[in-house]
Amino acid sequence: MTQAQHNKQIGARFGAAARRYDDHARIQRITAERLADDISRLRLPSRPRILEIGCGTGLLTQALARRLGPADWTITDISPAMLAASQRGPALPGTARYQVLDGEYPEVLAGPYDLICSSLAVQWFTDLNAGLGRLAGLLAPEGHLAVATLADGTFGEWQAAHQAAGLVAATPRYPSHAAIRPAMSNLAGGVHNERLIQNHPDGLHFLKGLKGIGATTPAPGRSPLSAAELRRVLAAFDEQGAMVTYHLAYGMWKKSTQRPAGVFVTGTDTGIGKTLVSAILARAWNADYWKPVQTGVSEEPGDTDTVAQLAQLPPHRLHLPAYVLQAPLSPWAAATLEDTVVDATTIVPPTTRAPLIVEGAGGLYVPIDDTHMMIDLIARLDMPVVLAARSGLGTINHTLLSLEALKRRGIPVLGVVMSGPLSAGNKEAIERFGNVRVLAEIPPLSKVDAAAVDALAQGIPPLEECLAALSDAPAQAD
């Protein structure tokens, strides 16, 4: 069977299920609502141009319409019957067009789109990352690609029942959430995952549910079970408890037009002086300041106010955090304590005309959410790093470990700023063994104020000089 024939078979089976789809689509409905919630937090223009891939009966379409309001909608599905079912739903606010389309090959569409989205459809792509890359090619500058799909581990119980019966399940193979990455270079974003469990009275109920939504096309090259084989699998499945786990992957990416001019300030540890370093750099480079995730505001003012005072920045040079949390903990721990959801994949840098100083929370391996560390955010923002480090005992080890972690992720390091009693030996060791430049040494200060910051800023090399030195540096071999 050719790929075109396989795709046609998928469309036909979904089309046959169009009228009863919603009666069996509990997981699909939950997923569409959660994806729509993620999308509603994006910064979209008024009346955005939206392309939906694999609309089905319209679960995501209507969830977005309730949250976003008027838009220019292009709604597509590989199945004409599914597309017709979606079109029979409530009228969409704005303008809408409906088109039969194999979403893996969307080149017939002109674009560009401010949002391209899909809920539980792209798992049917032959090459997921290539298909996502083609979709991303239709994005407008600063446009967003947002999808929900199935990940590795889905239907594990059904596969285990086959194994118990001496068989191999014909369910498709899904990628791990970490392996989902559109084949396009100028995208910033990532994937977070979720697990949903659905209990069934028995295996027949599970199969009827799959048939009810049309998701019965076996993986390419696989044949359906015989009646005797199916009875053995159902018996094993029922014995296990007739439960099915869905591993859901939510991908959110933004098309970036260029790498932001500026740096990401991180540290070898928490309490290392990142905020003071950020203020000095902002003053030296006449830069804007942004703290994507702020924690600990229950005990002290946020770092944005501190940097504004120390660097004497006017309000228009400051950008509000994406998340503000009360507890002085990692973002992940604080969010858990406060029953708040933090999602690193929704964090996008502000648009600025000036250079941008971005300050992280804690060190490189501070968790932001269930699946992302601070180093993941740095990589996604695609900015060079200024590493804040202590000058005293232990700094060589801590600093070199941090530099090695950044190197392994391919993240360029603009330089290191050391704070504390001056140590020529430690400075020399970090520069030599870390193959990095120490941009400044901050001695102990009797008073930390705007005057002290201004004086220290005078010794910082110009940003253009630092960036030029970075681009001229030879590549490092792992």
Side-chain angles (χ1 to χ4, degrees):
M1 181 184 295
T2 66
Q3 186 58 49
Q5 291 171 327
H6 182 69
N7 290 351
K8 186 176 181 180
Q9 183 184 68
I10 292 172
R13 294 199 181 195
F14 277 109
R19 293 193 178 276
R20 61 181 184 274
Y21 182 93
D22 288 354
D23 296 333
H24 301 275
R26 174 178 172 271
I27 297 295
Q28 289 72 17
R29 184 174 289 104
I30 292 172
T31 304
E33 291 291 336
R34 293 185 182 174
L35 179 60
D37 281 340
D38 286 347
I39 291 172
S40 69
R41 292 194 288 267
L42 299 176
R43 293 184 178 179
L44 296 172
S46 60
R47 205 179 182 90
R49 297 160 293 180
I50 298 175
L51 168 64
E52 184 183 354
I53 300 297
C55 66
T57 57
L59 297 178
L60 177 62
T61 315
Q62 294 301 325
L64 287 176
R66 292 192 298 270
R67 291 164 173 81
L68 302 182
D72 181 351
W73 307 85
T74 299
I75 310 300
T76 73
D77 199 280
I78 197 172
S79 164
M82 282 289 191
L83 195 68
S86 179
Q87 195 166 5
R88 287 194 295 268
L92 297 176
T95 59
R97 64 194 62 82
Y98 293 80
Q99 182 171 341
V100 175
L101 177 76
D102 181 351
E104 189 171 1
Y105 301 97
E107 291 86 349
V108 295
L109 300 175
Y113 299 96
D114 302 303
L115 170 67
I116 299 176
C117 56
S118 179
S119 182
L120 293 184
V122 299
Q123 67 267 16
W124 295 103
F125 285 6
T126 307
D127 186 331
L128 176 59
N129 288 341
L132 292 177
R134 284 188 285 269
L135 289 172
L138 297 175
L139 287 172
E142 309 300 316
H144 295 269
L145 174 63
V147 303
T149 188
L150 297 178
D152 184 40
T154 298
F155 302 139
E157 297 86 353
W158 183 245
Q159 293 161 359
H162 279 72
Q163 186 175 6
L167 301 166
V168 178
T171 51
R173 297 183 64 180
Y174 303 115
S176 68
H177 74 275
I180 300 172
R181 182 177 301 173
M184 188 174 184
S185 61
N186 60 336
L187 289 181
V191 178
H192 70 95
N193 60 320
E194 177 186 31
R195 185 180 66 172
L196 293 179
I197 297 175
Q198 188 171 28
N199 293 300
H200 296 272
D202 52 42
L204 280 176
H205 185 271
F206 165 62
L207 291 180
K208 288 178 180 177
L210 289 182
K211 186 177 181 180
I213 62 171
T216 56
T217 304
R222 302 302 306 278
S223 301
L225 297 175
S226 68
E229 290 172 334
L230 180 57
R231 283 194 296 270
R232 297 207 315 269
V233 171
L234 288 174
F237 184 74
D238 293 348
E239 186 175 349
Q240 293 172 4
M243 177 182 73
V244 174
T245 302
Y246 292 79
H247 291 265
L248 300 165
Y250 296 86
M252 305 286 287
W253 299 275
K254 180 181 179 182
K255 184 177 181 180
S256 56
T257 54
Q258 59 184 3
R259 179 156 70 183
V263 299
F264 194 110
V265 178
T266 188
T268 59
D269 199 353
T270 190
I272 205 74
K274 295 187 302 297
T275 302
L276 177 57
V277 171
S278 297
I280 293 169
L281 296 180
R283 183 68 176 170
W285 295 336
N286 195 25
D288 287 14
Y289 172 82
W290 180 49
K291 177 99 172 182
V293 184
Q294 174 70 65
T295 62
V297 296
S298 63
E299 296 188 359
E300 57 186 26
D303 293 330
T304 301
D305 291 341
T306 301
V307 171
Q309 295 171 9
L310 292 178
Q312 298 179 299
L313 296 180
H316 71 274
R317 308 302 290 273
L318 305 169
H319 302 275
L320 296 177
Y323 295 97
V324 177
L325 300 160
Q326 300 295 314
L329 303 169
S330 71
W332 170 76
T336 302
L337 186 67
E338 297 165 29
D339 197 24
T340 299
V341 176
V342 172
D343 180 1
T345 65
T346 66
I347 298 174
V348 294
T351 300
T352 64
R353 294 184 178 179
L356 180 65
I357 306 299
V358 183
E359 182 185 349
L364 294 173
Y365 285 95
V366 167
I368 300 176
D369 57 26
D370 286 340
T371 56
H372 297 91
M373 304 287 186
M374 194 59 60
I375 194 170
D376 297 311
L377 177 61
I378 297 172
R380 193 167 67 82
L381 295 182
D382 194 24
M383 300 178 74
V385 161
V386 169
L387 182 65
R390 292 186 177 90
S391 62
L393 186 65
T395 191
I396 296 175
N397 182 64
H398 292 162
T399 304
L400 295 183
L401 283 173
S402 296
L403 292 172
E404 179 66 17
L406 291 164
K407 173 186 171 183
R408 287 185 176 276
R409 293 292 295 270
I411 299 170
V413 179
L414 204 69
V416 173
V417 176
M418 303 174 67
S419 297
L422 302 184
S423 173
N426 286 346
K427 175 178 181 289
E428 180 185 1
I430 288 170
E431 288 190 322
R432 177 178 177 181
F433 296 107
N435 193 25
V436 69
R437 179 182 185 182
V438 173
L439 297 175
E441 296 176 274
I442 304 173
L445 301 174
S446 59
K447 186 176 183 180
V448 180
D449 57 12
V453 166
D454 185 61
L456 289 165
Q458 303 304 315
I460 299 294
L463 177 59
E464 295 77 10
E465 175 189 317
C466 296
L467 292 173
L470 186 64
S471 62
D472 292 339
Q476 291 283 321
D478 287 342

